[in-house]
Amino acid sequence: MYASITLLGRISKDVNLKYISNKGTALCEFDVAVERKINKKETITDYYPIQIWGNYGESLANILAKGQVVFIVGSCKNEMWKDDNNITHKNFKVKAEFVKKIDFNTKLSSVDFENLESKLIESAYEDNTF
């Protein structure tokens, strides 16, 4: 089974690049804020922790910054473990497989959000960024 996720949101904290000590593998991490409507007047902002591994994460860490709008396609993972006191902890993360920086040169009200995802994926294939 595979749990996929597609997000369009704004990077909400500084991008952090680190290297896993025992392997030297690059890990780029940041949070993305995504607004969702709960009714016509109210929205809620959800924050998703993003991980990008390896060379892809290393290269993206140099071009992504807090405040940028990004389109992300990836997989979700729920980690669960028990500590020494037998307390269960859970941690949700998104492993990004594709990230595209979005520059909105037009007003957001004129963006066709219904078809935005398919257009972004289509442009990624044309740019060979997938």
Side-chain angles (χ1 to χ4, degrees):
M1 299 267 174
Y2 180 77
S4 72
I5 188 166
T6 304
L7 301 170
L8 176 64
R10 193 172 295 277
I11 297 175
S12 64
K13 70 176 191 179
D14 291 332
V15 175
N16 179 33
L17 178 65
K18 62 184 177 183
Y19 295 89
I20 305 305
S21 60
N22 59 347
K23 294 183 182 179
T25 304
L27 174 59
C28 175
E29 295 182 301
F30 55 90
D31 286 352
V32 170
V34 177
E35 286 187 358
R36 62 183 167 94
K37 291 183 179 183
I38 56 173
N39 58 42
K40 288 185 179 182
K41 295 181 181 179
E42 294 180 276
T43 60
I44 292 178
T45 303
D46 294 318
Y47 296 88
Y48 295 88
I50 308 297
Q51 292 185 327
I52 310 166
W53 289 87
N55 294 335
Y56 190 48
E58 197 170 25
S59 62
L60 285 174
N62 296 319
I63 62 169
L64 297 177
K66 181 179 178 179
Q68 290 178 324
V69 176
V70 288
F71 173 71
I72 296 173
V73 177
S75 59
C76 329
K77 65 178 182 176
N78 247 333
E79 298 171 339
M80 205 178 326
W81 70 95
K82 290 191 178 192
D83 63 17
D84 294 338
N85 298 320
N86 208 28
I87 297 173
T88 301
H89 299 270
K90 294 180 184 179
N91 194 2
F92 176 83
K93 292 185 181 170
V94 174
K95 181 182 175 191
E97 294 160 15
F98 169 75
V99 178
K100 184 169 178 104
K101 190 168 68 165
I102 306 297
D103 295 316
F104 285 116
N105 295 325
T106 60
K107 293 182 181 176
L108 288 179
S109 60
S110 64
V111 174
D112 179 11
F113 283 103
E114 190 171 309
N115 296 311
L116 182 61
E117 180 180 352
S118 60
K119 287 179 182 178
L120 288 169
I121 291 172
E122 187 177 295
S123 74
Y125 278 110
E126 289 171 2
D127 299 343
N128 293 319
T129 54
F130 241 130

